[in-house]
Amino acid sequence: MSSSNRDALFAEPLSQVGDFVFDAKVVEVFADMINRSVPGYQSILHGIGQWAQRLVQADSRVYDLGCSLGAASLSMRQHLNDRSGVEIIAIDNSTAMVERCRLHLDGYRSNVPVQVRCEDIRDSAISNASLVVMNFTLQFVPPEQRQALLERIYAGLKPGGAVIISEKFRAEEAVMDAHLVDLHHEFKRANGYSELEIAQKRAAIEHVMRIDTLSTHQQRLRAVGFSSPQVWFQCYNFASLIAIK
Ligand code: GEK
């Protein structure tokens, strides 16, 4: 990776740390940022591909909501070459992300079509879906709007279809939560982030990324109709859940 694609957005002291936005500057460094910040990111992407291989039905749609540069779509596409009539719909509301995502996906050959849309996922139509993925996206939707979004996802899924939700989460117990947060910060330090970068990024993200506990996620999934939401991946305070309709 060239040094210009290395995430140094919070490396210098900022007089005022504004709210984090997914703009062109973030797009430039996004791959490095997410790999060095999210424990297990590559394992989750691989797992999403494996779930797609198991659960995606012929002649159905797959949604990648909050697709960023399309990493989850790419992983799923690699696992779906044998499936007929499948279309992936990748959606993000950052124009900078969507433009780069299209370029990124065009760089790989596949017989599975991917449509990239610039939309707010709270307004997106979801239908004939056999898999809906929100890989670290739901945490950016205002908490009071999360259930309505999941209701629409549930309604748009075919029987046997599934939703995958990966999130940073808050542990129920304060002491345990402090340990997990600290372990995550150790992970970031080990990946080369300074104390200043960790502190400034935390300040920038705290108003835009509002995290739930895992039991809140599971209760919400049950409330909209999913019967047995399951955590299939966890590393520190990052987890991925799957729920089948
Ligand atoms: C990956 N899934 O690499 N509508 C559409 N997009 C949104 C919305 C919204 N309401 N809110 C946030 N986003 C990706 C990583 S990043 C996670 C997902 C992170 C988009 C936002 O623009 C950004 O691209 C993405 O959700 C979140 O597998 O940066 O921590």
Side-chain angles (χ1 to χ4, degrees):
M1 165 181 325
S2 81
S3 60
S4 63
N5 291 130
R6 188 169 169 87
D7 171 26
L9 294 178
F10 295 97
E12 299 301 325
L14 301 168
S15 53
Q16 207 185 353
V17 182
D19 280 351
F20 189 82
V21 280
F22 291 96
D23 59 12
K25 275 198 275 181
V26 169
V27 167
E28 285 307 318
V29 299
F30 185 76
D32 178 60
M33 172 187 284
I34 197 156
N35 274 295
R36 288 201 289 137
S37 304
V38 174
Y41 176 66
Q42 289 299 332
S43 302
I44 293 171
L45 287 177
H46 181 68
I48 288 172
Q50 291 179 295
W51 280 117
Q53 195 165 36
R54 283 168 181 267
L55 297 173
V56 171
Q57 303 168 24
D59 303 312
S60 73
R61 296 197 178 108
V62 174
Y63 290 84
D64 178 5
L65 304 181
C67 59
S68 298
L69 303 182
S73 289
L74 265 179
S75 174
M76 291 191 283
R77 205 166 67 163
Q78 281 161 6
H79 286 81
L80 291 174
N81 276 319
D82 61 339
R83 222 59 50 99
S84 71
V86 169
E87 178 186 32
I88 300 178
I89 299 175
I91 302 176
D92 205 286
N93 66 348
S94 156
T95 47
M97 280 290 186
V98 164
E99 281 165 19
R100 190 60 62 90
C101 180
R102 289 194 178 115
L103 284 178
H104 196 200
L105 291 169
D106 284 350
Y108 298 85
R109 276 173 57 159
S110 167
N111 53 10
V112 181
V114 184
Q115 213 189 99
V116 185
R117 296 186 188 161
C118 189
E119 277 175 17
D120 191 312
I121 58 168
R122 290 168 295 174
D123 306 325
S124 296
I126 293 167
S127 62
N128 193 34
S130 60
L131 183 59
V132 178
V133 172
M134 287 189 283
N135 199 34
F136 301 103
T137 304
L138 190 62
Q139 58 199 10
F140 295 105
V141 171
E144 63 281 6
Q145 297 176 12
R146 291 177 189 171
Q147 180 149 342
L149 173 56
L150 284 171
E151 279 164 4
R152 285 196 304 102
I153 290 171
Y154 187 82
L157 277 171
K158 293 158 76 80
V163 63
I164 293 178
I165 302 175
S166 312
E167 295 269 290
K168 186 177 187 182
F169 70 89
R170 191 175 60 255
E172 313 275 342
E173 267 262 323
V175 173
M176 192 50 76
D177 193 58
H179 279 299
L180 296 182
V181 168
D182 208 40
L183 284 165
H184 174 227
H185 289 170
E186 268 178 31
F187 168 87
K188 291 189 75 165
R189 275 179 216 116
N191 284 333
Y193 282 115
S194 69
E195 296 309 316
L196 178 69
E197 285 176 295
I198 293 171
Q200 293 194 140
K201 172 74 181 281
R202 198 178 190 190
I205 207 104
E206 69 184 0
H207 301 298
V208 285
M209 190 177 105
R210 293 163 49 207
I211 57 176
D212 287 323
T213 63
L214 284 179
S215 65
T216 298
H217 282 294
Q218 288 174 320
Q219 278 161 23
R220 195 186 286 123
L221 283 162
R222 285 201 183 90
V224 306
F226 292 100
S227 53
S228 44
Q230 176 67 46
V231 174
W232 64 273
F233 182 92
Q234 186 184 337
C235 184
Y236 313 137
N237 47 346
F238 289 76
S240 190
L241 298 105
I242 185 155
I244 299 179
K245 180 169 176 177

